[in-house]
Amino acid sequence: MGGTFDPIHYGHLVTAEEALVQFNLDKVVFMPTGMPVRKTHRMVTSAEHRYLMTVIATASNPDFEVSRLEIDRPGLTYTVDSIKALRDLHGSQVELYFITGADAVWDILTWKESASLAGACTFIAATRPGFDLGRFAEERERGILIETMEVPALAISSTDIRSRFSERRPVRYLLPESVAAYIEKNRLYADGAES
Ligand code: ATP
Ligand code: MG
């Protein structure tokens, strides 16, 4: 599961757990992005903070792991490269799934390199409110495997959580308390860097 995780929240965690069970996965690897291509318009919190928040949030789940693959790779992060890297790392016998929100799968698949994703992995697209699943028909025709999955807690977003921190509105029940404490301790979203 790739993401900026700025910060990680219950939407991500619920989605990962649901995918684990519904698709009978051995584990879910959370992979915080290094320099996300699509988010260059705002200051993204340092990779090290995002990595640590992801570790804190997932620590209690024996089936969750966090990968440094993207944050240790210099330059902009392309999801296509990460999927190829995972395939190289695990070999051809392992079944790989890429878990994303349905909106994000759409972003990935509209890239020019997306043709090379056919057969590389199966996408698990968690549906967010208002998302039209019929949109994937064309990708499926191109040989890209996309499964869909309905998840609760879909309205939670990192963007909203960042504004809540900077405006001192409640964040309880949106993300793990340990992550909220880490954010407070390091004053990550205190100065209006929420957009
Ligand atoms: P931002 O608001 O900064 O865009 P975000 O909440 O969308 O953040 P990301 O780190 O961008 O979080 O998302 C990582 C992955 O998790 C993406 O594939 C995204 O679609 C998915 N995702 C984000 N929020 C949810 C949610 N509430 N439920 C399910 N999937 C989600
Ligand atoms: Mg997002």
Side-chain angles (χ1 to χ4, degrees), residues 7 14 24 41 49 52 60 71 107 115 128 166 181:
V14 164
N24 201 17
H41 62 280
H49 279 314
L52 283 174
S60 63
I71 60 175
D107 283 352
R128 302 182 101 162
S166 73

Side-chain angles (χ1 to χ4, degrees), residues 10-11 18 21 35 43 48-49 63-64 68 103 119 149 151 163 170 173 192:
Y10 283 132
E18 199 63 25
V21 174
M35 192 88 80
M43 283 296 290
E48 229 40 68
H49 279 314
D63 299 320
F64 287 177
R68 294 186 59 94
D103 56 334
M149 177 181 75
V151 207
S163 351
Y173 312 128

Side-chain angles (χ1 to χ4, degrees), residues 1-4 31-38 69-70 73 75-87 96-101 104-111 113-114 116-117 120-123:
M1 182 169 193
T4 318
M31 193 182 286
T33 50
M35 192 88 80
V37 185
R38 302 237 159 203
L69 193 105
E70 285 199 352
R73 191 173 58 213
L76 289 176
T77 297
Y78 290 93
T79 306
V80 179
D81 297 336
S82 309
I83 292 167
K84 287 179 184 159
L86 283 178
R87 177 55 74 201
L96 283 180
Y97 293 80
F98 193 87
I99 308 166
T100 68
V105 97
W106 185 253
D107 283 352
I108 294 163
L109 296 176
T110 47
W111 290 351
E113 255 208 275
S114 69
S116 64
L117 287 175
C121 69
T122 302
F123 287 89

